[in-house]
Amino acid sequence: MHKRKLLRTVAAAALAGSLGLALAQDNTFKVGLILPLTGPFASTGKQLEAAVRLYMAQNGDTVAGKKVVLVVKDDTGQAEITKRLAQELVTAEKVQVLAGFGLTPLAMATAPIATQSKTPMVVMAAATASITEASPYVVRTSFTVPQVVTVLADWAAKNNIHKVVTLVSDYAPGVDSETWFGQRFVALGGTVVETLRVPLRSPDFAPFLQKVRDAKPDALFTFVPAGVGTALMKQFSERGMDKAGIRVIAEGSVTDDDILDNMGDVALGVVTAHHYSAAHNSAVNKSFVEAFGKANQGARPNFMAVGGYDGMRVIYEAARASKGEGGDALLQAMKGQSFESPRGPMTIDPQTRDVVHNIYVRKVERLGGQLWNTEFQTFTAVKDPAKMGK
Ligand code: PHB
């Protein structure tokens, strides 16, 4: 009798214990943030993490009555690691959302895990058009490469650029850049005389730049991912190509705000198209740039930071609407969100889950002693052209 009572008490305590645990879990909303925080693409991870933390500092860590817990993991920029970390975050940590993804292959490796586990996956950095099609659980807050390079092709064709050589990093967003810029530019009467692809890792631009020089184009069109533009521009100037009258036009990652001011005069006059410049003239952006600088020893936020900041906003608002539920309810609440970002107005297209926002044509200028991407033309509410009719 006594023994049975004891057993009952033990069982009740165990039940209460596991209930307590379940309750504790119910009271958290976990975001698994996977980023390259070391290795060649660490600048992307650092910008993004800083912006995510800024959003949380400004908006509190409670949403729908739950405590937001950020679990940050470093994938070093390698897809097998991203995939393993995503699997662990979903199964062991039971995160409600996966976020980050500094490069396209890292997002692509994770997409099947998002699908299998029905976990919304917010792509805050990677920009190849097809990423949103890799899983119905992907939502993108960065940008798409076709979205920006087609705008640049329109600008180039109207501004006395007839003959270009393209030089891109040899992986998915580079191929998107080459294809979408080239097709639009040729359709508008331009000529692409040569298409060059340079390895993504440890690129040596010299032999490629020699080919560009020999082809004597009006302009070099180029794409390299965030953080890599300094090496490219340095080698461009070392070969005297700016002096030889070859202009540079580029996907905006090349003059990324994180590194732009250290590029020196060779960057002056480089024309790019992109969705975000730290020089964007709006009250929302000014306060974002100021707050980011204050929290990060004066650092300037780049477009990666904005992708992270807006991504957190999409996650917070969705969690509020789903009352802290994950899965399909959370995904549903991400679709169609529309708000003013530091980049300008943006919407998550409810059909494609991709970002619709303004694309700006910019040129590098020295203002107040520093280099900035000055926006001088705006294409409003640009959808990803790779998804037209979808
Ligand atoms: C990408 O891998 O999709 C990517 C990374 C960095 C960029 C742009 C695209 O700046």
Side-chain angles (χ1 to χ4, degrees), residues 282-322:
S282 74
V284 170
N285 184 51
K286 284 195 176 117
S287 64
F288 171 67
V289 171
E290 193 184 306
F292 187 93
K294 239 182 219 156
N296 298 285
Q297 293 95 40
R300 195 193 286 185
N302 70 1
F303 64 96
M304 293 300 186
V306 169
Y309 191 75
D310 292 337
M312 276 319 268
R313 178 186 170 120
V314 167
I315 292 168
Y316 266 53
E317 292 301 325
R320 221 163 260 143
S322 76

Side-chain angles (χ1 to χ4, degrees), residues 304-367:
M304 293 300 186
V306 169
Y309 191 75
D310 292 337
M312 276 319 268
R313 178 186 170 120
V314 167
I315 292 168
Y316 266 53
E317 292 301 325
R320 221 163 260 143
S322 76
K323 304 198 165 48
E325 285 278 312
D328 288 322
L330 188 66
L331 175 71
Q332 210 50 39
M334 291 181 178
K335 297 180 187 177
Q337 282 194 34
S338 201
F339 56 92
E340 191 185 350
S341 148
R343 72 186 81 182
M346 80 176 248
T347 300
I348 303 296
D349 183 324
Q351 266 75 49
T352 64
R353 295 161 277 104
D354 220 332
V355 57
V356 179
H357 48 187
N358 295 346
I359 302 301
Y360 309 90
V361 188
R362 314 97 51 89
K363 63 170 174 294
V364 177
E365 286 186 329
R366 194 176 288 285
L367 295 170

Side-chain angles (χ1 to χ4, degrees), residues 40-363:
F41 305 102
S43 66
T44 291
K46 286 181 184 145
Q47 281 270 340
L48 234 142
E49 183 184 359
V52 164
R53 293 201 184 281
L54 176 64
Y55 187 89
M56 292 181 71
Q58 290 176 333
N59 294 277
D61 63 356
T62 306
V63 68
K66 296 189 175 193
K67 186 174 165 55
V68 182
V69 176
L70 185 68
V71 187
V72 182
K73 301 281 179 190
D74 176 13
D75 64 16
T76 76
Q78 296 179 74
E80 327 78 76
I81 302 181
T82 320
K83 189 172 180 180
R84 178 175 53 74
L85 291 172
Q87 190 69 62
E88 282 169 19
L89 285 168
V90 164
T91 50
E93 294 275 357
K94 307 218 179 316
V95 297
Q96 272 89 342
V97 52
L98 291 164
F101 312 105
L103 298 159
T104 292
L106 315 181
M108 288 307 218
T110 307
I113 294 170
T115 306
Q116 282 151 23
S117 64
K118 298 184 186 298
T119 307
M121 169 176 162
V122 178
V123 174
M124 297 170 158
T128 301
S130 59
I131 293 172
T132 45
E133 284 155 341
S135 166
Y137 287 86
V138 168
V139 169
R140 174 151 42 199
T141 62
S142 50
F143 71 105
T144 87
V145 164
Q147 210 169 39
V148 305
V149 300
T150 48
V151 162
L152 186 66
D154 284 356
W155 179 86
K158 288 196 189 109
N159 285 274
N160 235 7
I161 294 173
H162 308 291
K163 187 173 141 182
V164 304
V165 172
T166 65
L167 170 63
V168 302
S169 291
D170 191 6
Y171 79 123
V175 174
D176 259 7
S177 297
E178 180 190 289
T179 307
W180 287 88
F181 176 87
Q183 278 176 1
R184 180 70 70 98
F185 188 62
V186 168
L188 295 169
T191 309
V192 177
V193 288
E194 201 158 357
T195 55
L196 304 170
R197 296 182 185 179
V198 49
L200 172 62
R201 286 171 196 274
S202 318
D204 174 12
F205 295 105
F208 297 95
L209 289 173
Q210 192 53 50
K211 286 189 181 167
V212 175
R213 200 179 177 142
D214 294 345
K216 296 194 174 53
D218 299 324
L220 164 66
F221 164 77
T222 184
F223 161 82
V224 292
V228 181
T230 312
L232 170 67
M233 294 308 291
K234 185 164 176 277
Q235 293 189 25
F236 187 84
S237 99
E238 278 167 7
R239 308 191 98 66
M241 292 175 69
D242 44 346
K243 310 270 177 334
I246 301 173
R247 300 190 61 174
V248 177
I249 59 175
E251 195 272 2
S253 301
V254 174
T255 59
D256 142 23
D257 270 297
D258 196 23
I259 56 175
L260 176 59
D261 197 38
N262 286 322
M263 280 187 192
D265 285 354
V266 65
L268 287 171
V270 171
V271 171
T272 57
H274 228 209
H275 58 295
Y276 180 69
S277 164
H280 180 65
N281 189 9
S282 74
V284 170
N285 184 51
K286 284 195 176 117
S287 64
F288 171 67
V289 171
E290 193 184 306
F292 187 93
K294 239 182 219 156
N296 298 285
Q297 293 95 40
R300 195 193 286 185
N302 70 1
F303 64 96
M304 293 300 186
V306 169
Y309 191 75
D310 292 337
M312 276 319 268
R313 178 186 170 120
V314 167
I315 292 168
Y316 266 53
E317 292 301 325
R320 221 163 260 143
S322 76
K323 304 198 165 48
E325 285 278 312
D328 288 322
L330 188 66
L331 175 71
Q332 210 50 39
M334 291 181 178
K335 297 180 187 177
Q337 282 194 34
S338 201
F339 56 92
E340 191 185 350
S341 148
R343 72 186 81 182
M346 80 176 248
T347 300
I348 303 296
D349 183 324
Q351 266 75 49
T352 64
R353 295 161 277 104
D354 220 332
V355 57
V356 179
H357 48 187
N358 295 346
I359 302 301
Y360 309 90
V361 188
R362 314 97 51 89
K363 63 170 174 294

